[in-house]
Amino acid sequence: GAAGRPGSLLSRQLQELWRKSRGSPAPQRLLFEVSSASVVSERSSKYVLYTIYLIRSGRLDRAPAAITRRYSDFERLNRCLRCRFGCDMASIAFPRKRLHHNFTAETIAKRSRAFEQFLSHLHSIAEIRRSPEFLEFFFLQDLRAAQRLTCTGMYREALATWANAYRLQERLGVCGSGRFLLTLAGLAVCHQELDQLGEAHGCCEQALQLLEAQGSHPLLGPFLQAHVHLAWKVGKDKRHSEARLQELREAGPALQQQPTLKECLIKEPLE
């Protein structure tokens, strides 16, 4: 997939993304579009599930980044943000819960538009756009699901979920965070398990370019080890990674006990 192509994000672009994600004006206009809404009936409850696409204006997105959320998810986000950003949130409208007619086509259509405006409005405020509450509304569910699927060995399903989480973080301009590195680890592990070694290698390359900017990071050793192993398998240059591994070994405690990328993924609690 696009996530794994080694050339998909050149180091120059990555460094720029990295710089931008450190405290940026809106990277580019992001549109939130409710593409469908379906009524779901479970044992004793009934709710509407909204599918929202994140679209970069003026760009052709071949693979869309999508989330599905219900009214209660939006309500929780609204509540959290009002607690933390009272002043900023004062001017932002949120569709009220209705006692009746929650499932009519008209209500669902109105609410869909209201949710689009709600998210666009939030995204236009820098403080909110960068807050963990806002960001994790979009990708934390995917990361948890992907982690669960990876732990249970369902690599194909996990790969699709990690890839969507990757696209969501890319659209939101947070390609320098720990969550993003974890996503690259997930992609690398699943690609490797599915024998897509070139893609796995590309994910490790991208992670290591991001980690250049950080002195030490718990994922650095595991990514270097995976990169050396994969580079050897796909016939790419591994000398730089070997040298960095050697430096790590000399600098810190024995690297022999370093966990693998897969072990890191399984151990990382996603709160």
Side-chain angles (χ1 to χ4, degrees), residues 8 28 45 58 77 80 91 95 124 185 191 215 218 224 233-234 236 243-244 246 250 256:
S8 65
Q28 50 195 321
S45 69
L77 174 66
C80 289
S91 63
S124 70
H191 277 308
L224 285 169
K233 284 246 160 134
V234 297
K236 291 264 175 29
R244 286 187 78 189
Q246 193 53 41
E250 285 160 9
Q256 278 62 36

Side-chain angles (χ1 to χ4, degrees), residues 239-263:
R239 285 168 304 190
H240 183 58
S241 289
E242 281 175 330
R244 286 187 78 189
L245 256 181
Q246 193 53 41
E247 279 167 31
L248 268 189
R249 284 205 179 99
E250 285 160 9
L255 197 76
Q256 278 62 36
Q257 288 85 6
Q258 275 274 342
T260 62
L261 272 185
K262 199 167 170 183
E263 287 164 351

Side-chain angles (χ1 to χ4, degrees), residues 190-211:
C190 291
H191 277 308
Q192 187 171 358
E193 292 289 345
L194 294 166
D195 231 29
Q196 300 161 350
L197 302 184
E199 281 90 343
H201 176 262
C203 294
C204 291
E205 293 257 279
Q206 191 180 344
L208 290 173
Q209 286 170 342
L210 280 171
L211 286 165

